[in-house]
């Protein structure tokens, strides 16, 4: 089945490293996108193809993959990084699916 | 200006249908595809469907298959999402986005209430 599992929440102090995981069998053969969504705003892609960073996204955002788990890492988290983060992947037939989302708290 | 501009908020009664539009500008609409994503109040993102604007090929979430129709009008550079048989569980903000999710509409709130 196509299911992506994320922790519901992650909390770090400013300057620490935040790691958010996304697990699912499909990730062994499919790429993941990571979205950041701040309150009242549309989502923004922060990582695509597991580890590629779009232009304009700070270097402190990085992604990695190992087997059926991908990880979004925010090195030196800032208060402005506080948001909901979602992983997303697509099946072979282009059907898409999101993880349940992770609330990142930086304080 | 590159943007996706969606239609305004809707209030519908249970059992009714709703049609949301998404007008693209600033890029070649027919060379791209669009996703539709929804988000219920206080909940996570849910992928709804996808359309290839070049040939009209579509993919729908199995959860909404049978109630959902996604179309496009290439001459108007506009995509459409139509959802029938609405229930309160369909209350959400509906977003359109480009194929790479690098551009999103502002969202359209659809509220289903008797």
């Amino acid at each position: 089945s196509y299911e992506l599992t994320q922790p519901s929440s992650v909390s770090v102090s400013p300057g620490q490293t935040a790691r958010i995981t996304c697990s699912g069998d499909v990730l062994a053969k499919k790429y993941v996108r990571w979205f950041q969504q701040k309150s009242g705003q549309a989502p923004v892609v922060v990582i695509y193809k597991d580890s590629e960073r779009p232009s304009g996204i700070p270097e402190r955002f990085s992604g990695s993959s190992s087997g059926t788990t991908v990880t979004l890492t925010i090195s030196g988290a800032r208060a402005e990084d506080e948001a909901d983060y979602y992983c997303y992947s697509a099946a072979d037939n282009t059907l898409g699916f999101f993880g349940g989302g992770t609330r990142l708290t930086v304080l | 200006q590159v943007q996706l501009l969606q239609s305004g908020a809707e209030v519908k009664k249970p059992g009714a249908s709703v049609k949301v539009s998404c007008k693209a500008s600033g890029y070649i609409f027919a060379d791209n595809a669009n996703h539709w994503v929804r988000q219920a109040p206080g909940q996570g993102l849910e992928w709804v469907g996808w359309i290839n604007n070049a040939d009209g090929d579509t993919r729908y979430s199995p959860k909404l298959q049978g109630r959902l129709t996604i179309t496009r009008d290439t001459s108007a550079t506009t995509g459409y999402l139509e959802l029938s048989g609405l229930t309160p569980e369909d209350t959400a903000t509906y977003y359109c986005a480009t194929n790479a999710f690098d551009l999103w509409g502002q969202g359209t709130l659809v509220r289903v209430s008797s």
Side-chain angles (χ1 to χ4, degrees):
Chain A
S1 66
Y2 298 116
E3 192 171 312
L4 298 178
T5 301
Q6 300 180 232
S8 59
S9 64
V10 168
S11 183
V12 298
S13 299
Q16 288 189 328
T17 296
R19 293 181 179 85
I20 301 172
T21 58
C22 174
S23 300
D25 291 342
V26 69
L27 301 184
K29 55 181 179 178
K30 290 294 182 180
Y31 287 124
V32 148
R33 276 188 179 90
W34 285 99
F35 293 87
Q36 175 194 69
Q37 187 181 34
K38 296 183 178 179
S39 182
Q41 299 181 20
V44 172
V45 177
V46 294
I47 294 289
Y48 66 98
K49 284 189 178 179
D50 290 350
S51 60
E52 299 293 321
R53 191 175 53 249
S55 61
I57 300 301
E59 291 184 8
R60 63 181 181 274
F61 288 87
S62 63
S64 60
S65 175
S66 178
T68 59
T69 299
V70 294
T71 301
L72 172 68
T73 300
I74 308 171
S75 304
R78 301 182 179 185
E80 66 208 56
D81 301 329
E82 197 163 276
D84 294 324
Y85 290 84
Y86 297 89
C87 58
Y88 167 91
S89 191
D92 288 330
N93 55 4
T94 318
L95 295 185
F97 40 101
F98 287 93
T102 300
R103 173 68 55 87
L104 174 65
T105 302
V106 182
L107 65 93
Chain B
Q1 184 181 2
V2 180
Q3 66 176 358
L4 294 173
L5 188 60
Q6 297 185 222
S7 49
E10 303 263 13
V11 179
K12 296 290 183 181
K13 294 196 180 302
S17 297
V18 69
K19 191 169 186 177
V20 178
S21 67
C22 170
K23 180 166 176 61
S25 59
Y27 69 95
I28 303 175
F29 178 76
D31 285 352
N32 209 304
N34 286 107
H35 294 271
W36 288 87
V37 174
R38 72 179 182 179
Q39 186 170 36
Q43 302 300 309
L45 301 173
E46 180 183 5
W47 184 83
V48 170
W50 171 93
I51 184 166
N52 182 342
N53 294 322
D55 61 10
D57 186 29
T58 54
R59 300 285 186 274
Y60 297 147
S61 165
K63 178 180 175 181
L64 300 175
Q65 185 88 38
R67 296 198 296 130
L68 176 66
T69 304
I70 296 175
T71 57
R72 92 284 188 230
D73 180 342
T74 54
S75 63
T77 66
T78 300
Y80 302 94
L81 174 149
E82 184 167 17
L83 189 60
S84 62
L86 291 169
T87 73
E89 287 67 43
D90 294 315
T91 293
T93 296
Y94 289 74
Y95 293 99
C96 60
T98 50
N99 195 49
F101 293 103
D102 51 357
L103 183 66
W104 291 68
Q106 82 276 22
T108 297
L109 177 61
V110 174
R111 184 176 300 142
V112 183
S113 173
S114 54

